[in-house]
Amino acid sequence: MAANWLKLLSIGVFYAIILCTGIWAARRTKREERRSPGSRSEVEIVGGRNLNIWVSILTITATWVGGGYILGVAEAIYNPTLGLVWTTAPIAYVLTFILGGLFFVKPIRAKNYVTLMDPFQEKYGNTIAAILFIPAILGDILWIACMFLILGGTVSAVIEISSTLSIGISASVAILYTSMGGLFSVAYTDVIQLGFMFVGLGICVPFVLTTPQAANLTVAAVTKLYQEPWIGKITTEDTARWIDGSLLLILGGLCYPAFYQRVLSTATDKQAQLTCYAGAALCPILAIPSIIIGAVAASTNWNQTSFGSPSPYEQGKSGLILPIALQHLCPVYVSVISTGALAAAVMSSADSALLSAASMLGRNIFKNIIYKKASEKMILVVIKVSVIVCGLIGAALALSTNSIYLLWIYGADVLYSMMTAQVICTFFLSQWINRYGVVSGFLLAMVLRTLVGEPGLGLPDLLPLPWDKIQDDGHKFRLFPFRTAIMLVTIITVLLTSKIAEWMLKRGLQKSVDKMNTNMDYIAPVQRDEEEEEKLNQTQT
């Protein structure tokens, strides 16, 4: 019982440090708002485009190396149905950042955009941008819920308190500092959280490796001891599914609004590219502790530990193997420090999703669609309120399910299946597409993804695909790479429908609503409030 109180105190101390850092960063935001030549909302959303390069590198890394990453890598290694060969996230994220730095940084920064939705709003207008906003905001909210659920499960796994209380406290802390300071609060707390994770997991690795209950890792990698070898295997029929999952991580990350929020917060294109390349180098390095802990857990006779029998996998707790290993394979004092650091680090992804969702709601929906005469002060209020609302929705979703995997995979599905094609077409094929193609592609992607089904969400799997295997419960096990197929079909549909629409317009068979704009007509100018006018006058004098 004393150990539980110590762990609870450890988590409280780490949370307090995070909250104090967020409050300090919020004060920095106020100072930056007064000094920045840009609007106050830009300071809130992209840090006035002047974020320190080192802070930028660490915050983009922390956004990816969050709770889902560090717990997910350990889970995949430990899970006897997966293993190392299925743990594609570390390499996939390297490719995400490299591709982002090479091809996506310059298009999003070309016209001083503020959010990922700006280029869509510019090119297709408010109505279509509002439609495309749906998968973007849905992906963010599902990600927020996933992070809160991980927090609740992590804390409740090592401390005898309910996951509901843990989710409530964690969500409150993340919502509070994110709403107070915007990007500066998120970025600087990310730096602290990344440091906590690196130190907290780093100090436990030697103790996990020397636990007497674990067999030799090299032997357990290729030999069945307490469970299947942790290196895993890919059969011929699994190859397409493995490729599909890898591409989901690689390309899906390039549709994540928080990625663009980070590259837009730097002063120059070169700094933004450097941020991406540095993130590519750090992501696999920071996965090493999780890989080691997952491998040791797969090599451990859990009946000889304080956890007892049956094993975590047999109890359906593979997703929490990392905190379980910290609790049962490390000394108490190491477990106390590591647990607190782990819980605090999980927030680094939740706060990023909170801010990106709120930014799009405040700028792209409220200012550009609902109330175009909104002042800076009004936009800031809407962003802060949106942080609270999105956080509460995410917490409610986290309390309504126990499946971390379900939230993560469906959130990733939404972005990959419905947004990847739109981002690629808008950034690189804009001269061949128009709004008719974009709408047709989006609707087709939505219909196809719905027909493929998702049993965990109650969506029936109606669409038959090649290589389907019928399971005992009657549901189809999909071996066909349907996510990538939907993405490719969407690109083809966008291009083909755009061409047909253009042909029809030229022959007068359809009325032209208006031509595609290449300026910011659809993005309403910000109405300055009194504070902004005073600031502008001081600058001019």
Side-chain angles (χ1 to χ4, degrees):
M1 190 67 181
N4 280 336
W5 279 108
L6 284 173
K7 290 173 184 175
L8 185 60
L9 178 62
S10 172
I11 291 174
V13 169
F14 282 112
Y15 275 22
I17 295 172
I18 293 298
L19 184 57
C20 289
T21 303
I23 294 172
W24 169 82
R27 298 178 64 183
R28 164 105 187 248
T29 300
K30 298 298 182 184
R31 293 195 300 269
E32 191 68 26
E33 284 177 0
R34 291 191 292 268
R35 291 185 312 202
S36 174
S39 63
R40 293 169 62 191
S41 60
E42 285 193 13
V43 175
E44 186 87 3
I45 297 171
V46 292
R49 305 185 193 277
N50 195 31
L51 196 64
N52 179 280
I53 184 63
W54 296 108
V55 175
S56 180
I57 289 170
L58 294 176
T59 185
I60 199 171
T61 303
T63 300
W64 261 251
V65 184
Y69 183 79
I70 57 180
L71 269 74
V73 167
E75 176 187 2
I77 299 289
Y78 168 71
N79 192 322
T81 65
L82 298 173
L84 180 63
V85 294
W86 286 91
T87 311
T88 57
I91 302 303
Y93 289 168
V94 170
L95 296 175
T96 295
F97 282 125
I98 291 175
L99 289 173
L102 288 174
F103 302 110
F104 289 83
V105 163
K106 290 186 178 180
I108 195 65
R109 291 177 58 89
K111 296 183 180 179
N112 288 328
Y113 295 126
V114 180
T115 72
L116 173 60
M117 298 311 298
D118 280 357
F120 295 100
Q121 210 153 23
E122 172 194 79
K123 185 173 179 60
Y124 310 119
N126 289 333
T127 303
I128 294 174
I131 295 172
L132 297 178
F133 170 79
I134 295 172
I137 191 70
L138 184 59
D140 270 341
I141 289 177
L142 289 172
W143 187 248
I144 293 165
C146 183
M147 293 303 103
F148 286 160
L149 184 58
I150 289 173
L151 277 168
T154 298
V155 175
S156 62
V158 296
I159 303 175
E160 294 177 358
I161 64 173
S162 70
S163 60
T164 301
L165 179 60
S166 173
I167 290 172
I169 294 172
S170 302
S172 299
V173 173
I175 290 170
L176 181 59
Y177 72 74
T178 304
S179 63
M180 289 178 64
L183 183 70
F184 279 114
S185 286
V186 170
Y188 282 98
T189 53
D190 277 353
V191 173
I192 301 297
Q193 289 158 338
L194 196 65
F196 284 166
M197 190 205 71
F198 181 76
V199 174
L201 294 184
I203 63 173
C204 76
V205 166
F207 296 95
V208 170
L209 282 172
T210 56
T211 181
Q213 291 83 18
N216 184 285
L217 291 185
T218 306
V219 175
V222 294
T223 305
K224 182 177 180 179
L225 297 176
Y226 307 113
Q227 63 178 53
E228 296 296 325
W230 59 263
I231 198 169
K233 62 180 180 179
I234 300 175
T235 63
T236 302
E237 69 174 9
D238 286 330
T239 302
R241 189 163 63 93
W242 184 91
I243 294 172
D244 195 37
S246 300
L247 289 175
L248 181 147
L249 293 175
I250 296 167
L251 299 178
L254 293 171
C255 302
Y256 189 32
F259 171 78
Y260 296 97
Q261 199 158 31
R262 295 308 182 276
V263 300
L264 287 168
S265 66
T266 57
T268 66
D269 290 358
K270 287 187 177 180
Q271 288 183 357
Q273 290 176 319
L274 178 60
T275 296
C276 293
Y277 301 147
L282 290 173
C283 276
I285 294 173
L286 293 170
I288 292 174
S290 293
I291 292 172
I292 293 173
I293 293 171
V296 171
S299 312
T300 295
N301 183 352
W302 286 97
N303 193 38
Q304 295 181 0
T305 70
S306 56
F307 185 87
S309 185
S311 69
Y313 174 73
E314 292 169 326
Q315 293 188 31
K317 296 181 177 179
S318 296
L320 298 174
I321 192 60
L322 196 148
I324 289 172
L326 296 181
Q327 183 181 14
H328 297 283
L329 302 182
C330 294
V332 172
Y333 64 92
V334 174
S335 177
V336 166
I337 297 173
S338 300
T339 299
L342 176 63
V346 172
M347 280 192 205
S348 62
S349 293
D351 56 16
S352 299
L354 277 171
L355 182 60
S356 69
S359 299
M360 291 186 291
L361 281 168
R363 176 179 171 80
N364 301 105
I365 300 300
F366 179 74
K367 189 199 85 171
N368 293 337
I369 297 178
I370 297 176
Y371 189 50
K372 295 182 180 180
K373 295 182 179 181
S375 68
E376 284 291 291
K377 192 175 292 186
M378 293 177 66
I379 296 169
L380 291 176
V381 169
V382 172
I383 290 174
K384 293 180 188 301
V385 172
S386 297
V387 168
I388 297 172
V389 172
C390 291
L392 292 176
I393 294 173
L397 284 174
L399 292 172
S400 66
T401 180
N402 292 319
S403 177
I404 294 171
Y405 175 80
L406 177 64
L407 291 172
W408 177 82
I409 199 67
Y410 196 69
D413 260 4
V414 167
L415 289 177
Y416 184 50
S417 301
M418 299 184 192
M419 283 298 293
T420 301
Q422 305 292 351
V423 170
I424 291 174
C425 287
T426 300
F427 281 12
F428 306 108
L429 305 172
S430 60
Q431 64 270 38
W432 295 301
I433 65 173
N434 54 44
R435 63 187 61 195
Y436 305 106
V438 167
V439 172
S440 300
F442 175 81
L443 292 176
L444 179 63
M446 184 173 63
V447 169
L448 289 176
R449 186 61 190 90
T450 302
L451 291 176
V452 168
E454 190 63 55
L457 292 177
L459 292 176
D461 39 14
L462 301 176
L463 185 66
L465 295 173
W467 317 326
D468 279 345
K469 294 176 69 174
I470 306 300
Q471 302 176 105
D472 293 337
D473 59 4
H475 291 300
K476 300 181 179 71
F477 183 70
R478 307 291 194 179
L479 295 172
F480 185 76
F482 63 89
R483 301 180 187 94
T484 302
I486 291 173
M487 187 266 293
L488 294 175
V489 167
T490 301
I491 293 177
I492 295 171
T493 301
V494 171
L495 291 170
L496 186 59
T497 307
S498 296
K499 191 67 177 176
I500 294 172
E502 182 183 354
W503 178 82
M504 293 175 70
L505 290 170
K506 285 181 179 179
R507 281 154 182 78
L509 300 178
Q510 180 178 343
K511 253 184 179 180
S512 173
V513 178
D514 51 17
K515 296 215 181 249
M516 294 181 298
N517 288 329
T518 56
N519 51 39
M520 297 296 283
D521 287 345
Y522 292 102
I523 300 183
V526 175
Q527 304 298 311
R528 293 190 178 92
D529 50 28
E530 293 179 2
E531 184 180 341
E532 289 296 311
E533 291 288 358
E534 182 181 349
K535 176 181 165 184
L536 181 63
N537 292 334
Q538 290 175 354
T539 304
Q540 290 174 344
T541 56

